[in-house]
C-alpha cells in the first residue's frame, strides 16, 4: 500500500474538524492510489459548505485552476502540492451531482 500524502490527509482531517460533510466520489477501488497522489481526488462536499471548504483548501496551499468550464456542472479543479514528496495533487471538488 502506498503512503498517503500529508496534503491529502490534512484536507480530510480539516473537513472533519470543521464539520463539513464530504465523501470520496467515484469509487474506492483505487483509494490507496488516490491517497498517495497517483490518481485524482474526486471529493463531493456539502454544497452549503463549499466556501468553507475552499477556505480550507487555500490554507493548505491548494490553488484553484482557473478557466474550468465545469463550474456550471458543480465541479472545480484544484491543485495541491505535497512538500514532503514534491508530488502534485489534482483535486476535483464536486458540490453538485446531476443524475438522470
Amino acid at each position: 500500500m502506498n503512503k498517503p500524502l500529508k496534503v491529502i490527509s490534512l484536507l480530510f482531517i480539516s473537513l472533519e474538524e470543521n464539520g463539513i460533510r464530504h465523501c470520496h466520489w467515484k469509487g474506492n477501488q483505487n483509494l490507496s492510489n488516490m491517497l498517495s497522489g497517483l490518481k485524482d481526488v474526486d471529493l463531493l462536499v456539502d454544497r452549503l459548505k463549499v466556501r468553507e471548504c475552499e477556505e480550507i483548501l487555500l490554507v493548505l496551499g491548494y490553488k484553484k485552476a482557473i478557466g474550468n468550464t465545469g463550474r456550471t456542472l458543480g465541479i472545480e479543479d484544484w491543485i495541491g502540492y505535497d512538500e514532503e514528496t514534491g508530488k502534485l495533487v489534482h483535486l476535483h471538488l464536486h458540490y453538485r451531482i446531476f443524475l438522470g
Side-chain angles (χ1 to χ4, degrees):
M1 180 186 220
N2 300 316
K3 181 180 175 189
L5 298 181
K6 187 173 182 177
V7 72
I8 296 174
S9 298
L10 289 175
L11 172 58
F12 286 107
I13 290 168
S14 297
L15 292 171
E16 288 289 327
E17 288 177 347
N18 287 279
I20 298 173
R21 293 183 299 171
H22 63 281
C23 71
H24 175 247
W25 180 247
K26 293 189 176 177
N28 292 327
Q29 65 273 21
N30 291 313
L31 195 57
S32 173
N33 288 336
M34 181 275 294
L35 291 171
S36 64
L38 296 174
K39 296 281 185 184
D40 294 348
V41 178
D42 286 287
L43 181 65
L44 174 64
V45 297
D46 181 345
R47 67 184 176 124
L48 299 176
K49 299 286 188 171
V50 170
R51 296 302 158 232
E52 290 93 332
C53 179
E54 288 179 346
E55 289 173 15
I56 289 169
L57 289 168
L58 291 170
V59 166
L60 293 175
Y62 284 80
K63 306 291 183 198
K64 186 187 275 190
I66 305 299
N68 179 8
T69 58
R71 175 124 175 115
T72 57
L73 300 175
I75 305 168
E76 294 180 348
D77 288 301
W78 290 75
I79 305 298
Y81 176 72
D82 188 74
E83 291 184 15
E84 291 180 356
T85 63
K87 289 184 179 180
L88 292 176
V89 174
H90 184 193
L91 169 71
H92 299 136
L93 179 62
H94 298 256
Y95 54 88
R96 184 179 298 159
I97 299 176
F98 293 95
L99 302 173

